[in-house]
Amino acid sequence: MADNVIVLPFADWKPSFDEENSLKTAKGLKGPKAAQAYTPKSEPPPDHAWYRMDKSRIDEELHAIVTEVADKMEAVRAEDTELVSLLKSASEVRNVEMKVPKSIAIVGQQAMGKSLLINALFHRRNLSKTSAAGGACTASAIKYVHKSGAGDLAEIYDAAMQFMDDMNLNEVDPVYHDEEERAALTALAFFSLLYNIQNDPEAAETLEGRLTAQEIEEGKLLRGSVRMALRRIEETGADADRTKVFRDMTISELLEQISNFISQQEGMPSLWHILQFVTIFMGSPLLRNGMSIVDLPGLGDLNHSRTAATNTIRRQADFEIIVAKSDRVTTEEVVDQQIKQSIRTHGTKNTILVLTKIDEFFLDHHSIDNIIEQSTNAPFPRIKEFMGNAENMLNELDQFVAQNEDEDVDVEEAYATMSALQAYQEYLNKLAQCSFIQQRARNLENEMKFKFKEYDEHPIRVFSVSSSMYVDWMKKRQNERPLLSPEQTGIPNLRKFLLTVPTEDNLECYRQHIGFKSPAFLDTISRIVDQEGKDDAYGVIRPKFMIILKEFMEKHTLIFTEFIDNKVQRLWQLGTLKHSREEGVVTVIRNWADNVRWNTYNKVLQEKGIVKKTDAVRYRGRGINWNEEISQEIGPDILAWKNKMRSAVKAMTADLNKSIKALGQKVIQFLNDSELAGPLKLIAIEEWNKRQEEVFRKSITLEGILKQQISHVHKYATTETDTRCMLSVLNSSVYDKINKIPWEEGWYVKQKDALLKALVPTNGQDGSIIDKIADHVDGMAKRQLDFAFRTFMDDLVSELELFDHHIGQRLPPEYEITEGDLKIRDSLKDILPQLSRRVNDLDTMLEAQGTKRERDVDIDGEPETLTKKAKA
């Protein structure tokens, strides 16, 4: 930080200045010494076990272990189904299967520096440059993912353009309702493109016939436009999934191919209206270590369907980066709103604010001379002192030169010292500038970090960057170094933080692969090659086990069904709570008409409760969003519902875990009571104990899975405010109905009364908006929980059925084992002990490299990693 800056006195600074001048003289350089381009290869990785772990060695050893097994089975017969199955398993164990990358959405208003930030983070100068093209701006979501095998700084890229599906095509709306003239021009340009009127006279005539009020009202324009959109997509060469792929291109070649699809440019034909998103595949340490970064269109789009699509991606992301300019972030209401939305959706721990263009602080009224003169913060007093000393020395040298200029006295040394002093003053000035920028950035970070504690007790993460200066450091040579060093631009610090985002997930994949998957593979080999241990007697326990398993499934499902039927809380179960909340909603709906003119009111009805820009007094300085206002009114109740449901889920999953423990005891008792011979019985019990460990490991994940579904419902009901949100869906038909009331005297008053009665009826028969919300949340919660549970049960039962499968592997094969088959089995049996030692060595290596969990819970209180817990 700035207060740790070392300010050298002239005597300590001058030797380095003299050395640099000597080098220039020796090399005959006339200008300043050029600096080399910066490379992120010198940046130390985060201090985290994932980066301390010797992944290459582990990967090579896993590959070698599986290859040794596969080599022994080169001559396997297709009829030997045991070995064929083992060979297939070997291919699945060869490489560690990683989780889906953590997604990070980058959002912000236009001209905030998003594109330059992406270039800097990826250490590419021209990767994202649409925003720098003047009138152009990114209009489609661009997702950056890792290109397998690509070097971190490789300049070869792949891309896939995904066009809209039918649902999204039917929502396409090129019209901006707030600006009628712009709307008309935009719509006409869009339809002209879809119908290809310049090259298809017949289609042009069709379009002209459909641009009438009747055709639009009957939906013929929409249906025809969707058909034309599908034709345009087909013409691009997209495949059956509506995806167009480009491979192995330089970035300039790639941008030339896709720029008209991803950006909106004046006077240029474009299909960006019907493009869902673009995926760019590239090399990068961020992407290679388990991240995907999504660059979203600038927020504030007047098109509701695109806003809804952008918000969907924002909500689905694991983290959100909000980009804002440093010089006005503390006063920007729009930025505050974006941060609050992100906190409601992701929590503060997963909300990142990036303050861009910190180098522009000196474009304000501050003078560096005044800062040096007046600031009492370190290092400015020391800079002021040294600046004064240098000025005094210059004055003395001026006098010396003036007195001896006409005398026969050598003044060359005086001139050289004066030159050095002037360079020293420049050094002090730049040091003061850097210190001021860093201190200003730090103060802003602290202010913004703790600004939203009322929404979450934890601070958000804030980073200050100068992407432009970082990109300048990427040039191969610079005659003049940027003011800020690469580290001071803040980009390496932000990149280092992002590199920590997926680390725990990555580690858990290695833990599970080495701790569970690899030993299970060796166990399979052991069962297959143990010819002496195979016995027909094992067949007698398999039918009984399947009966026990069926009884367990029925009991497990019954516990969950009773939970769904009796324990899923309904919103506003108590009449007093419902009445109180209805009163609040009535107040909100009545307030919608305060200081809002009838034409604005009608416009909001047309646009499903949302108007992005308005001059209405009540909403001055912000847009209208009725969905958000009701969402805030009901928010506390739905939060209380979420907390109650989480407690109910915890109690129910505890009962399920008891059921699983009871199953384990029942199977052990059954095996002990079985007619198996003693040695066979011990083997079966050992097999079940191994299977139980996996079952327990999986069972403890259910609580987190179900709580996550509750969180999804809560977010859907309280954080979504666009035209696809719950409140818009529930109310859109009412808005349409009220909007179509025929005009007559007192029309505006009738509209307001009709809307209130429709949303909060007084007859006690029709459901109010409160009832609709309760029904919707209840139904959605039950569906989400039921789907999650059944998916979990399928996985759990598959895990349990492996016991039966493994017991089946201990039965003699139903086909004849040849001499060659036995030879393969013997060779596998010979190497099994040393394979087991090598797998154990890998497990020991993980522990030795400090890979135990570094965090216990995620932002929602769920276990992040479960291997250790399961083993315990």
Side-chain angles (χ1 to χ4, degrees), residues 448-520:
M448 297 303 295
K449 198 179 293 183
F450 299 99
K451 188 176 181 180
F452 305 95
K453 291 192 73 173
E454 61 182 293
Y455 299 95
D456 193 318
E457 62 179 0
H458 301 286
I460 65 171
R461 304 178 192 273
V462 187
F463 296 86
S464 300
V465 301
S466 171
S467 304
S468 60
M469 283 196 178
Y470 180 88
V471 172
D472 280 344
W473 276 104
M474 291 168 56
K475 296 175 182 176
K476 289 186 177 180
R477 299 179 70 82
Q478 306 119 336
N479 287 330
E480 184 175 349
R481 293 176 177 90
L483 175 65
L484 299 176
S485 69
E487 293 76 17
Q488 289 172 334
T489 65
I491 293 297
N493 190 34
L494 174 58
R495 187 157 50 215
K496 188 173 184 178
F497 165 74
L498 294 178
L499 282 169
T500 66
V501 165
T503 49
E504 283 302 318
D505 279 355
N506 294 347
L507 276 177
E508 185 65 8
C509 291
Y510 272 79
R511 292 188 196 107
Q512 293 198 25
H513 193 95
I514 293 171
F516 292 96
K517 196 168 185 177
S518 298

Coordinates of all heavy atoms in Angstrom, one line a residue, residues 448-520:
M448 N -16.7 1.0 -0.1 CA -17.7 0.2 -0.8 C -17.8 -1.2 -0.2 O -18.8 -1.8 -0.2 CB -17.3 0.0 -2.3 CG -17.3 1.3 -3.1 SD -18.9 2.2 -3.0 CE -19.9 1.0 -3.9
K449 N -16.7 -1.7 0.4 CA -16.6 -3.0 1.0 C -17.7 -3.2 2.1 O -18.3 -4.2 2.2 CB -15.2 -3.3 1.5 CG -14.9 -4.7 1.7 CD -13.4 -4.8 2.3 CE -12.4 -4.4 1.2 NZ -11.0 -4.6 1.7
F450 N -17.8 -2.1 2.9 CA -18.7 -2.3 4.1 C -20.0 -1.5 3.9 O -20.7 -1.3 4.9 CB -17.9 -1.8 5.3 CG -16.7 -2.6 5.6 CD1 -15.4 -2.1 5.3 CD2 -16.8 -3.8 6.3 CE1 -14.3 -2.8 5.5 CE2 -15.7 -4.5 6.6 CZ -14.4 -4.1 6.2
K451 N -20.3 -1.1 2.7 CA -21.4 -0.2 2.5 C -22.7 -1.0 2.6 O -23.8 -0.4 2.8 CB -21.3 0.5 1.1 CG -22.4 1.5 0.8 CD -22.1 2.2 -0.5 CE -23.1 3.2 -0.8 NZ -22.9 3.9 -2.1
F452 N -22.7 -2.3 2.4 CA -23.9 -3.1 2.2 C -24.1 -4.1 3.4 O -24.7 -5.2 3.2 CB -23.9 -3.8 0.9 CG -23.7 -2.9 -0.3 CD1 -22.4 -2.7 -0.8 CD2 -24.7 -2.2 -0.8 CE1 -22.2 -1.8 -1.8 CE2 -24.5 -1.3 -1.9 CZ -23.3 -1.1 -2.4
K453 N -23.6 -3.8 4.6 CA -23.7 -4.7 5.7 C -25.1 -4.9 6.2 O -25.4 -5.9 6.8 CB -22.8 -4.2 6.9 CG -21.3 -4.2 6.6 CD -20.5 -3.9 7.9 CE -20.6 -5.1 8.8 NZ -19.7 -5.0 10.0
E454 N -26.0 -4.0 5.8 CA -27.4 -4.2 6.2 C -28.0 -5.4 5.4 O -29.0 -6.0 5.9 CB -28.2 -3.0 5.9 CG -28.2 -2.5 4.5 CD -29.0 -1.2 4.3 OE1 -30.2 -1.3 4.5 OE2 -28.4 -0.2 3.9
Y455 N -27.4 -5.8 4.3 CA -27.9 -6.9 3.5 C -27.2 -8.2 3.8 O -27.8 -9.2 3.6 CB -27.8 -6.5 2.0 CG -28.5 -5.3 1.6 CD1 -27.9 -4.1 1.5 CD2 -29.9 -5.4 1.3 CE1 -28.6 -2.9 1.1 CE2 -30.6 -4.2 0.9 CZ -29.9 -3.0 0.8 OH -30.6 -1.9 0.5
D456 N -26.0 -8.1 4.3 CA -25.2 -9.2 4.6 C -24.1 -8.8 5.5 O -23.4 -7.8 5.2 CB -24.6 -9.9 3.4 CG -24.1 -11.3 3.6 OD1 -23.4 -11.5 4.7 OD2 -24.3 -12.2 2.8
E457 N -23.8 -9.5 6.6 CA -22.9 -9.0 7.6 C -21.4 -9.1 7.1 O -20.5 -8.4 7.6 CB -22.9 -9.9 8.9 CG -22.7 -11.4 8.6 CD -22.7 -12.2 9.9 OE1 -23.0 -11.6 11.0 OE2 -22.5 -13.4 9.8
H458 N -21.2 -9.9 6.0 CA -19.9 -10.0 5.5 C -19.6 -8.9 4.4 O -20.5 -8.5 3.7 CB -19.7 -11.4 4.8 CG -19.8 -12.5 5.8 ND1 -18.9 -12.8 6.7 CD2 -20.9 -13.4 5.9 CE1 -19.4 -13.9 7.4 NE2 -20.5 -14.2 6.9
P459 N -18.4 -8.4 4.3 CA -18.1 -7.4 3.3 C -18.1 -8.0 1.9 O -17.7 -9.2 1.8 CB -16.8 -6.8 3.7 CG -16.1 -8.0 4.5 CD -17.2 -8.7 5.2
I460 N -18.4 -7.2 0.9 CA -18.2 -7.7 -0.5 C -16.7 -7.6 -0.8 O -15.9 -6.9 0.0 CB -19.0 -6.9 -1.5 CG1 -18.5 -5.4 -1.5 CG2 -20.4 -6.9 -1.2 CD1 -19.1 -4.6 -2.7
R461 N -16.2 -8.2 -1.8 CA -14.8 -8.1 -2.2 C -14.7 -7.0 -3.2 O -15.5 -6.9 -4.2 CB -14.4 -9.4 -2.9 CG -14.6 -10.6 -1.9 CD -14.2 -11.9 -2.6 NE -14.7 -13.1 -1.9 CZ -14.0 -13.7 -0.9 NH1 -12.9 -13.1 -0.5 NH2 -14.5 -14.7 -0.3
V462 N -13.7 -6.1 -3.0 CA -13.5 -5.0 -3.9 C -12.0 -4.9 -4.4 O -11.1 -5.1 -3.6 CB -13.8 -3.6 -3.2 CG1 -13.8 -2.5 -4.2 CG2 -15.2 -3.7 -2.5
F463 N -11.9 -4.7 -5.7 CA -10.5 -4.6 -6.3 C -10.5 -3.3 -7.1 O -11.5 -3.0 -7.8 CB -10.2 -5.8 -7.1 CG -10.1 -7.1 -6.4 CD1 -11.3 -7.8 -6.1 CD2 -8.9 -7.5 -5.9 CE1 -11.2 -9.0 -5.4 CE2 -8.8 -8.7 -5.2 CZ -10.0 -9.5 -4.9
S464 N -9.4 -2.6 -7.1 CA -9.2 -1.4 -8.0 C -8.1 -1.8 -9.0 O -7.1 -2.3 -8.7 CB -8.7 -0.3 -7.1 OG -9.6 0.1 -6.1
V465 N -8.4 -1.4 -10.3 CA -7.5 -1.8 -11.4 C -7.4 -0.7 -12.4 O -8.3 0.2 -12.5 CB -8.0 -3.0 -12.1 CG1 -8.2 -4.2 -11.2 CG2 -9.3 -2.8 -12.8
S466 N -6.3 -0.7 -13.1 CA -6.1 0.1 -14.3 C -5.8 -0.8 -15.4 O -4.6 -1.2 -15.6 CB -5.0 1.1 -14.1 OG -4.7 1.8 -15.4
S467 N -6.8 -1.3 -16.1 CA -6.6 -2.3 -17.2 C -5.8 -1.7 -18.3 O -5.0 -2.4 -18.9 CB -8.0 -2.7 -17.7 OG -8.8 -3.2 -16.7
S468 N -6.0 -0.4 -18.6 CA -5.3 0.2 -19.7 C -3.8 0.2 -19.5 O -3.0 -0.1 -20.4 CB -5.8 1.6 -20.0 OG -5.6 2.4 -18.8
M469 N -3.4 0.6 -18.3 CA -1.9 0.6 -18.0 C -1.4 -0.8 -18.0 O -0.2 -1.1 -18.4 CB -1.6 1.3 -16.6 CG -1.7 2.8 -16.7 SD -1.0 3.6 -15.3 CE -1.2 5.3 -15.7
Y470 N -2.1 -1.8 -17.5 CA -1.7 -3.2 -17.6 C -1.5 -3.6 -19.0 O -0.4 -4.2 -19.4 CB -2.7 -4.1 -16.9 CG -2.2 -5.6 -16.9 CD1 -1.4 -6.1 -15.9 CD2 -2.5 -6.4 -18.0 CE1 -0.9 -7.4 -16.0 CE2 -2.1 -7.7 -18.0 CZ -1.3 -8.2 -17.0 OH -0.8 -9.5 -17.1
V471 N -2.4 -3.3 -19.9 CA -2.3 -3.7 -21.3 C -1.1 -3.0 -21.9 O -0.4 -3.5 -22.8 CB -3.6 -3.3 -22.0 CG1 -3.5 -3.5 -23.5 CG2 -4.8 -4.2 -21.5
D472 N -0.8 -1.7 -21.5 CA 0.4 -1.1 -22.0 C 1.6 -1.8 -21.6 O 2.6 -1.9 -22.4 CB 0.5 0.3 -21.4 CG -0.4 1.3 -22.1 OD1 -0.9 1.0 -23.2 OD2 -0.7 2.4 -21.6
W473 N 1.7 -2.5 -20.4 CA 2.8 -3.2 -20.0 C 3.0 -4.5 -20.9 O 4.0 -5.1 -20.9 CB 2.7 -3.6 -18.6 CG 3.2 -2.6 -17.6 CD1 2.5 -1.7 -16.9 CD2 4.6 -2.2 -17.3 NE1 3.2 -0.9 -16.1 CE2 4.6 -1.2 -16.4 CE3 5.8 -2.7 -17.8 CZ2 5.7 -0.6 -15.9 CZ3 7.0 -2.2 -17.3 CH2 6.9 -1.1 -16.4
M474 N 2.0 -4.9 -21.6 CA 2.0 -6.1 -22.5 C 2.7 -5.8 -23.8 O 3.1 -6.8 -24.5 CB 0.6 -6.6 -22.8 CG -0.1 -7.2 -21.5 SD -1.8 -7.4 -21.8 CE -1.8 -8.5 -23.3
K475 N 3.0 -4.5 -24.1 CA 3.7 -4.2 -25.4 C 5.1 -4.8 -25.2 O 5.7 -4.7 -24.2 CB 3.7 -2.7 -25.6 CG 2.3 -2.2 -25.8 CD 2.3 -0.7 -26.0 CE 0.9 -0.1 -26.2 NZ 0.9 1.4 -26.2
K476 N 5.7 -5.2 -26.4 CA 7.0 -5.8 -26.3 C 8.1 -4.8 -25.8 O 8.9 -5.2 -25.0 CB 7.4 -6.3 -27.7 CG 6.6 -7.5 -28.1 CD 7.1 -8.1 -29.4 CE 6.3 -9.3 -29.8 NZ 6.7 -9.9 -31.1
R477 N 8.0 -3.6 -26.2 CA 8.9 -2.6 -25.7 C 8.2 -1.2 -25.6 O 7.3 -0.9 -26.3 CB 10.1 -2.4 -26.7 CG 10.9 -3.7 -26.9 CD 12.1 -3.4 -27.8 NE 13.1 -2.6 -27.3 CZ 14.1 -3.0 -26.5 NH1 14.1 -4.3 -26.1 NH2 15.0 -2.2 -26.0
Q478 N 8.6 -0.5 -24.5 CA 8.0 0.8 -24.3 C 9.1 1.9 -24.1 O 10.0 1.6 -23.3 CB 7.1 0.9 -23.1 CG 6.0 -0.2 -23.1 CD 6.2 -1.2 -21.9 OE1 7.2 -1.3 -21.4 NE2 5.1 -1.8 -21.6
N479 N 9.0 3.0 -24.8 CA 10.0 4.0 -24.6 C 9.7 4.7 -23.3 O 10.6 5.3 -22.7 CB 9.9 5.1 -25.8 CG 10.5 4.5 -27.0 OD1 11.4 3.7 -27.0 ND2 10.0 4.9 -28.2
E480 N 8.5 4.7 -22.9 CA 8.1 5.3 -21.6 C 7.3 4.4 -20.8 O 6.2 4.0 -21.2 CB 7.4 6.7 -21.8 CG 7.1 7.4 -20.5 CD 6.5 8.8 -20.7 OE1 6.5 9.2 -21.8 OE2 6.1 9.3 -19.7
R481 N 7.7 4.0 -19.6 CA 7.0 3.0 -18.8 C 5.7 3.7 -18.3 O 5.6 4.9 -18.0 CB 7.8 2.6 -17.6 CG 9.0 1.8 -17.9 CD 9.8 1.5 -16.6 NE 11.0 0.7 -16.9 CZ 12.2 1.1 -17.2 NH1 12.4 2.4 -17.3 NH2 13.2 0.3 -17.3
P482 N 4.6 2.9 -18.2 CA 3.4 3.4 -17.6 C 3.6 3.9 -16.2 O 4.6 3.4 -15.5 CB 2.4 2.2 -17.6 CG 2.9 1.4 -18.7 CD 4.4 1.5 -18.7
L483 N 2.8 4.8 -15.7 CA 3.0 5.4 -14.4 C 3.0 4.3 -13.3 O 3.8 4.2 -12.4 CB 1.9 6.4 -14.1 CG 1.9 7.0 -12.7 CD1 3.1 7.8 -12.4 CD2 0.6 7.9 -12.5
L484 N 2.0 3.4 -13.4 CA 1.8 2.3 -12.4 C 2.6 1.1 -12.9 O 2.6 0.7 -14.1 CB 0.3 2.0 -12.2 CG -0.6 3.1 -11.7 CD1 -2.0 2.6 -11.6 CD2 -0.1 3.6 -10.3
S485 N 3.2 0.4 -11.9 CA 3.9 -0.9 -12.3 C 2.8 -1.9 -12.6 O 1.6 -1.7 -12.2 CB 4.7 -1.3 -11.1 OG 3.9 -1.7 -10.0
P486 N 3.1 -3.1 -13.2 CA 2.1 -4.1 -13.4 C 1.4 -4.5 -12.2 O 0.2 -4.7 -12.2 CB 2.9 -5.3 -14.0 CG 4.1 -4.6 -14.6 CD 4.4 -3.4 -13.8
E487 N 2.1 -4.6 -11.1 CA 1.5 -5.0 -9.8 C 0.5 -3.9 -9.3 O -0.5 -4.2 -8.8 CB 2.5 -5.3 -8.7 CG 3.4 -6.5 -9.0 CD 4.5 -6.3 -10.1 OE1 4.8 -5.1 -10.4 OE2 5.0 -7.3 -10.6
Q488 N 1.0 -2.6 -9.5 CA 0.1 -1.5 -9.0 C -1.1 -1.3 -9.8 O -2.1 -0.7 -9.4 CB 1.0 -0.2 -9.0 CG 2.0 -0.2 -8.0 CD 3.0 1.0 -8.1 OE1 3.1 1.5 -9.2 NE2 3.6 1.4 -7.0
T489 N -1.2 -1.9 -11.0 CA -2.4 -1.8 -11.8 C -3.6 -2.6 -11.2 O -4.7 -2.4 -11.6 CB -2.2 -2.3 -13.3 OG1 -1.9 -3.7 -13.2 CG2 -1.1 -1.6 -14.0
G490 N -3.2 -3.5 -10.3 CA -4.3 -4.3 -9.6 C -4.7 -5.6 -10.3 O -5.4 -6.4 -9.7
I491 N -4.3 -5.7 -11.6 CA -4.7 -6.9 -12.3 C -4.1 -8.2 -11.8 O -4.9 -9.2 -11.6 CB -4.4 -6.7 -13.8 CG1 -5.2 -5.6 -14.5 CG2 -4.6 -8.0 -14.6 CD1 -6.7 -5.8 -14.5
P492 N -2.8 -8.2 -11.5 CA -2.3 -9.5 -10.9 C -3.0 -9.9 -9.6 O -3.2 -11.0 -9.3 CB -0.8 -9.1 -10.7 CG -0.5 -8.1 -11.7 CD -1.7 -7.3 -11.8
N493 N -3.3 -8.9 -8.8 CA -4.0 -9.2 -7.5 C -5.4 -9.7 -7.7 O -5.8 -10.7 -7.1 CB -4.1 -7.9 -6.7 CG -4.6 -8.1 -5.2 OD1 -4.2 -9.2 -4.7 ND2 -5.3 -7.2 -4.7
L494 N -6.1 -9.2 -8.7 CA -7.5 -9.7 -9.0 C -7.4 -11.1 -9.6 O -8.1 -12.0 -9.2 CB -8.2 -8.7 -10.0 CG -9.5 -9.2 -10.5 CD1 -10.5 -9.5 -9.4 CD2 -10.1 -8.2 -11.5
R495 N -6.4 -11.3 -10.5 CA -6.2 -12.6 -11.1 C -5.9 -13.6 -10.0 O -6.4 -14.8 -10.1 CB -5.1 -12.5 -12.1 CG -5.0 -13.7 -13.0 CD -4.3 -13.4 -14.3 NE -3.1 -12.6 -14.2 CZ -2.7 -11.6 -15.0 NH1 -3.4 -11.4 -16.1 NH2 -1.6 -11.0 -14.8
K496 N -5.0 -13.2 -9.1 CA -4.6 -14.2 -8.0 C -5.8 -14.6 -7.2 O -6.0 -15.8 -6.8 CB -3.6 -13.5 -7.1 CG -3.0 -14.4 -6.1 CD -1.8 -13.7 -5.4 CE -1.1 -14.7 -4.4 NZ 0.0 -14.0 -3.7
F497 N -6.7 -13.6 -6.9 CA -7.9 -14.0 -6.1 C -8.8 -15.0 -7.0 O -9.3 -16.0 -6.4 CB -8.8 -12.8 -5.8 CG -10.2 -13.1 -5.3 CD1 -10.4 -13.6 -4.1 CD2 -11.2 -12.9 -6.2 CE1 -11.7 -14.0 -3.7 CE2 -12.5 -13.2 -5.8 CZ -12.7 -13.8 -4.5
L498 N -9.0 -14.7 -8.2 CA -9.9 -15.5 -9.0 C -9.3 -16.9 -9.1 O -10.1 -17.9 -9.2 CB -10.0 -14.9 -10.4 CG -10.8 -13.6 -10.5 CD1 -10.8 -13.1 -12.0 CD2 -12.2 -13.7 -10.0
L499 N -8.0 -17.1 -9.1 CA -7.4 -18.4 -9.1 C -7.7 -19.2 -7.9 O -7.6 -20.5 -7.9 CB -5.9 -18.3 -9.3 CG -5.3 -17.9 -10.7 CD1 -3.9 -17.5 -10.6 CD2 -5.6 -19.1 -11.7
T500 N -8.2 -18.6 -6.8 CA -8.6 -19.3 -5.6 C -10.0 -19.8 -5.7 O -10.4 -20.7 -4.9 CB -8.4 -18.5 -4.4 OG1 -9.3 -17.4 -4.4 CG2 -7.0 -17.9 -4.3
V501 N -10.8 -19.3 -6.6 CA -12.2 -19.6 -6.6 C -12.5 -21.1 -6.8 O -13.3 -21.6 -6.0 CB -12.9 -18.8 -7.7 CG1 -14.3 -19.3 -8.0 CG2 -13.0 -17.3 -7.4
P502 N -11.9 -21.8 -7.7 CA -12.3 -23.3 -7.9 C -11.4 -24.2 -7.1 O -11.6 -25.4 -7.3 CB -12.1 -23.5 -9.4 CG -11.0 -22.6 -9.7 CD -11.0 -21.4 -8.7
T503 N -10.5 -23.8 -6.3 CA -9.5 -24.7 -5.7 C -10.1 -25.8 -4.9 O -9.6 -26.9 -5.0 CB -8.5 -23.9 -4.9 OG1 -9.2 -23.0 -4.0 CG2 -7.6 -23.0 -5.7
E504 N -11.1 -25.5 -4.0 CA -11.6 -26.6 -3.2 C -12.3 -27.6 -4.0 O -12.2 -28.8 -3.7 CB -12.5 -26.0 -2.1 CG -11.8 -25.3 -1.0 CD -10.9 -26.2 -0.2 OE1 -11.2 -27.4 0.0 OE2 -9.8 -25.8 0.1
D505 N -13.1 -27.2 -5.0 CA -13.7 -28.2 -5.9 C -12.7 -29.1 -6.6 O -12.8 -30.3 -6.7 CB -14.6 -27.5 -6.9 CG -15.9 -27.1 -6.3 OD1 -16.2 -27.5 -5.2 OD2 -16.7 -26.4 -7.0
N506 N -11.6 -28.4 -7.0 CA -10.6 -29.2 -7.8 C -9.9 -30.2 -6.8 O -9.7 -31.4 -7.2 CB -9.5 -28.2 -8.3 CG -10.0 -27.3 -9.3 OD1 -11.1 -27.5 -9.9 ND2 -9.3 -26.2 -9.7
L507 N -9.6 -29.8 -5.6 CA -8.9 -30.7 -4.7 C -9.8 -31.8 -4.3 O -9.4 -33.0 -4.2 CB -8.6 -29.9 -3.4 CG -7.3 -29.1 -3.4 CD1 -7.1 -28.4 -2.0 CD2 -6.1 -30.1 -3.6
E508 N -11.1 -31.6 -4.2 CA -12.1 -32.6 -3.8 C -12.1 -33.7 -4.9 O -12.3 -34.9 -4.6 CB -13.4 -32.1 -3.5 CG -14.5 -33.0 -3.0 CD -14.1 -33.6 -1.7 OE1 -13.2 -33.2 -1.0 OE2 -14.8 -34.6 -1.3
C509 N -12.0 -33.3 -6.2 CA -12.0 -34.2 -7.3 C -10.8 -35.2 -7.1 O -10.9 -36.4 -7.3 CB -12.0 -33.5 -8.6 SG -13.5 -32.6 -9.0
Y510 N -9.6 -34.7 -6.8 CA -8.5 -35.5 -6.6 C -8.6 -36.4 -5.4 O -8.2 -37.6 -5.4 CB -7.2 -34.6 -6.5 CG -6.6 -34.3 -7.9 CD1 -7.1 -33.3 -8.7 CD2 -5.5 -35.1 -8.4 CE1 -6.6 -33.1 -10.0 CE2 -5.0 -34.8 -9.7 CZ -5.6 -33.8 -10.4 OH -5.0 -33.6 -11.7
R511 N -9.1 -35.8 -4.3 CA -9.3 -36.6 -3.1 C -10.2 -37.8 -3.3 O -9.9 -38.9 -2.9 CB -9.9 -35.8 -2.0 CG -9.0 -34.6 -1.4 CD -9.7 -34.0 -0.2 NE -9.1 -32.7 0.1 CZ -9.7 -31.6 -0.1 NH1 -10.9 -31.5 -0.6 NH2 -9.1 -30.4 0.3
Q512 N -11.3 -37.6 -4.0 CA -12.3 -38.7 -4.3 C -11.7 -39.7 -5.2 O -11.9 -40.9 -5.1 CB -13.6 -38.1 -4.8 CG -14.3 -37.3 -3.7 CD -15.8 -37.1 -4.1 OE1 -16.4 -37.9 -4.8 NE2 -16.4 -36.0 -3.6
H513 N -11.0 -39.2 -6.2 CA -10.4 -40.1 -7.2 C -9.4 -41.0 -6.6 O -9.4 -42.2 -6.9 CB -9.8 -39.3 -8.4 CG -9.5 -40.1 -9.6 ND1 -10.3 -40.3 -10.7 CD2 -8.4 -41.0 -9.9 CE1 -9.8 -41.1 -11.6 NE2 -8.7 -41.5 -11.1
I514 N -8.5 -40.4 -5.8 CA -7.4 -41.2 -5.2 C -7.9 -42.0 -3.9 O -7.5 -43.1 -3.7 CB -6.2 -40.3 -4.8 CG1 -5.6 -39.8 -6.1 CG2 -5.2 -41.0 -4.0 CD1 -4.6 -38.7 -5.9
G515 N -8.8 -41.4 -3.2 CA -9.3 -42.0 -1.9 C -10.4 -43.0 -2.1 O -10.5 -43.9 -1.3
F516 N -11.1 -42.9 -3.2 CA -12.3 -43.8 -3.4 C -12.3 -44.5 -4.8 O -12.4 -45.8 -4.8 CB -13.6 -43.0 -3.2 CG -13.8 -42.6 -1.8 CD1 -13.5 -41.3 -1.5 CD2 -14.4 -43.4 -0.9 CE1 -13.7 -40.8 -0.2 CE2 -14.6 -43.0 0.4 CZ -14.3 -41.7 0.8
K517 N -12.2 -43.8 -5.8 CA -12.3 -44.3 -7.2 C -11.2 -45.3 -7.5 O -11.5 -46.4 -8.0 CB -12.4 -43.2 -8.2 CG -13.0 -43.7 -9.5 CD -13.3 -42.5 -10.4 CE -14.0 -43.0 -11.7 NZ -14.4 -41.8 -12.6
S518 N -10.0 -44.9 -7.2 CA -8.8 -45.8 -7.6 C -8.8 -47.0 -6.7 O -8.7 -48.2 -7.3 CB -7.5 -45.0 -7.4 OG -7.5 -43.9 -8.3
P519 N -9.0 -47.0 -5.4 CA -9.1 -48.2 -4.6 C -10.3 -49.1 -5.1 O -10.1 -50.3 -5.0 CB -9.3 -47.7 -3.2 CG -8.7 -46.4 -3.1 CD -9.0 -45.8 -4.5
A520 N -11.4 -48.5 -5.4 CA -12.5 -49.3 -5.9 C -12.2 -50.1 -7.2 O -12.6 -51.2 -7.4 CB -13.7 -48.4 -6.1

